[in-house]
Amino acid sequence: MKPRQIKAFLDRYVIGQDDAKKTLAVAVYTHRHKLALAGSGPNKSNVLLIGPTGTGKTLLCQTLARCLATPFVSADATALSQARFVGDELEALIQRLLEQAGGDAERAGRGIVFIDEIDKLANPDAPERASAGRSVQHALLKIMEGSLIRLPGGVSVDTRGILFICGGAFVGLEAIIASHTSYGFIGTADSDDGRIIERLNSRIKPTDLFNFGLIPEFTGRLPVIARLAPLGREDFVRIMQVPEDSLYRQFQAIFRELGSELVIDPPVFAQIAELALEYKVGARSLRGIFEELLTPVLYDLPDAPAGSRVHFHSLFSPPDRTSGGQDG
């Protein structure tokens, strides 16, 4: 698949984050071409996703794997740092990837591994946790660069073809980036100057990640960096309605299965989005609010007559954040 095709697939399920989607699409595209070169090409294009919690890092990786029809597993870096034997945990991770590949070692060797909360391995408060974080980074180096992992049962998986994607919020990184020497004048057309300067000034350099606490060797295994922007109210409203597997569509399908119809007016979605913004955990809070809204109805619905119609509407308009309106 070409990068545009990959991004078009991601657009069907993930709202916003266009820059991150393009970066991932190109990284995957070049990664597959490097595999076709049978090891004669440059190093792997492992990816680092940086963005606040609930901005879609895991969803992007899951959707990418679905797009490519490739095995996918995820792990939590915090859990790895708490494990007594990190090597055993990483072996178990590759074992799960093999299971997702139906036992096909070659297919598992072309899968995707997502490791979340990678920033928790850097700059922990306690010295003992700092040491554990460095140990995990060192342990990850080998499989991320490429090695032959021997699993129970005599099966071996070559990790040279596995795309590793790491993610984290990296709270505090902005302050490190802000300490850069800012770029000023650039000799281009006036219409391009602002955009290019902004991009250069916001660019994350390997030294920023060193200063944050990642070891240089580990950072070097993540040459591709994509940033995810915080989600706003309009993003939340679209997330609930637009994707092919959106929350609204999912619950509408449940209601249809029960012989009923679910209708939610637009202002209700806007008010749910307002609540989600207050929770400050990104899109993760949307499902919980949705479930809370519909639980009383779903409790009674199986006993309702066929053809029932459940209609949620609002008597209040959400506050207008753009015009400085007050909360209602």
Side-chain angles (χ1 to χ4, degrees), residues 214-253:
L214 294 181
I215 63 174
E217 301 91 333
F218 182 73
T219 303
R221 301 306 194 279
L222 296 164
V224 180
I225 300 176
R227 299 183 72 176
L228 282 77
L231 299 174
R233 187 179 75 185
E234 293 306 315
D235 295 314
F236 289 158
V237 170
R238 294 183 64 215
I239 286 170
M240 286 184 279
Q241 301 177 80
V242 176
E244 294 188 11
D245 58 351
S246 69
L247 285 170
Y248 190 29
R249 294 175 193 242
Q250 290 177 30
F251 279 100
Q252 282 183 315

Side-chain angles (χ1 to χ4, degrees):
M1 297 180 71
K2 298 177 183 179
R4 285 185 184 276
Q5 293 173 311
I6 296 172
K7 181 183 179 296
F9 187 94
L10 295 176
D11 286 339
R12 291 163 53 188
Y13 299 95
V14 183
I15 295 299
Q17 312 298 1
D18 278 0
D19 288 342
K21 290 174 185 175
K22 290 176 182 178
T23 301
L24 269 177
V26 172
V28 169
Y29 182 73
T30 56
H31 175 70
R32 292 297 176 95
H33 276 280
K34 291 172 186 177
L35 292 181
L37 295 174
S40 61
N43 293 332
K44 287 199 300 178
S45 301
N46 295 321
V47 182
L48 177 62
L49 298 179
I50 295 178
T53 182
T55 50
K57 295 185 289 292
T58 303
L59 179 60
L60 270 174
C61 296
Q62 291 172 335
T63 308
L64 183 65
R66 192 192 320 173
C67 171
L68 302 172
T70 192
F72 171 81
V73 294
S74 62
D76 191 320
T78 306
L80 292 176
S81 66
Q82 294 171 348
R84 184 176 180 183
F85 300 105
V86 179
D88 291 345
E89 292 295 320
L90 294 178
E91 183 180 293
L93 184 65
I94 302 302
Q95 177 68 47
R96 286 200 286 125
L97 189 66
L98 179 64
E99 292 169 359
Q100 290 295 317
D104 186 337
E106 183 176 351
R107 187 163 177 257
R110 292 174 176 266
I112 296 175
V113 172
F114 175 59
I115 303 175
D116 199 7
E117 296 192 339
I118 206 73
D119 53 322
K120 300 297 176 60
L121 301 179
N123 286 340
D125 297 330
E128 62 274 12
R129 289 186 59 204
S131 176
R134 286 192 296 270
S135 296
V136 174
Q137 291 180 62
H138 281 291
L140 284 168
L141 291 178
K142 187 176 180 181
I143 67 168
M144 288 176 66
E145 183 66 23
S147 61
L148 198 63
I149 306 295
R150 301 188 184 279
L151 301 173
V155 179
S156 297
V157 175
D158 190 344
T159 67
R160 287 179 298 177
I162 296 175
L163 181 65
F164 286 87
I165 304 176
C166 296
F170 285 84
V171 176
L173 185 63
E174 288 294 337
I176 296 174
I177 296 172
S179 66
H180 288 174
T181 301
S182 296
Y183 292 91
F185 172 80
I186 295 180
T188 64
D190 290 342
S191 59
D192 293 335
D193 278 355
R195 180 175 55 83
I196 295 175
I197 292 172
E198 181 182 358
R199 185 168 182 176
L200 286 172
N201 286 332
S202 64
R203 182 174 179 270
I204 298 172
K205 300 188 296 186
T207 50
D208 298 328
L209 299 175
F210 302 162
N211 292 332
F212 188 84
L214 294 181
I215 63 174
E217 301 91 333
F218 182 73
T219 303
R221 301 306 194 279
L222 296 164
V224 180
I225 300 176
R227 299 183 72 176
L228 282 77
L231 299 174
R233 187 179 75 185
E234 293 306 315
D235 295 314
F236 289 158
V237 170
R238 294 183 64 215
I239 286 170
M240 286 184 279
Q241 301 177 80
V242 176
E244 294 188 11
D245 58 351
S246 69
L247 285 170
Y248 190 29
R249 294 175 193 242
Q250 290 177 30
F251 279 100
Q252 282 183 315
I254 293 173
F255 274 67
R256 281 195 299 270
E257 187 177 347
L258 295 172
S260 301
E261 180 186 6
L262 172 65
V263 177
I264 300 179
D265 286 347
V268 177
F269 289 110
Q271 289 176 321
I272 293 175
E274 281 294 322
L275 286 174
L277 284 174
E278 293 178 10
Y279 290 177
K280 299 186 185 301
V281 291
R284 285 197 177 96
S285 58
L286 293 174
R287 178 170 290 276
I289 298 172
F290 229 88
E291 296 271 3
E292 185 176 352
L293 176 71
L294 294 176
T295 291
V297 178
L298 287 170
Y299 181 83
D300 293 324
L301 192 61
D303 300 314
S308 300
R309 186 172 188 265
V310 178
H311 187 175
F312 284 89
H313 61 93
S314 174
L315 299 178
F316 301 97
S317 297
D320 186 349
R321 298 293 189 188
T322 61
S323 61
Q326 300 298 311
D327 289 352

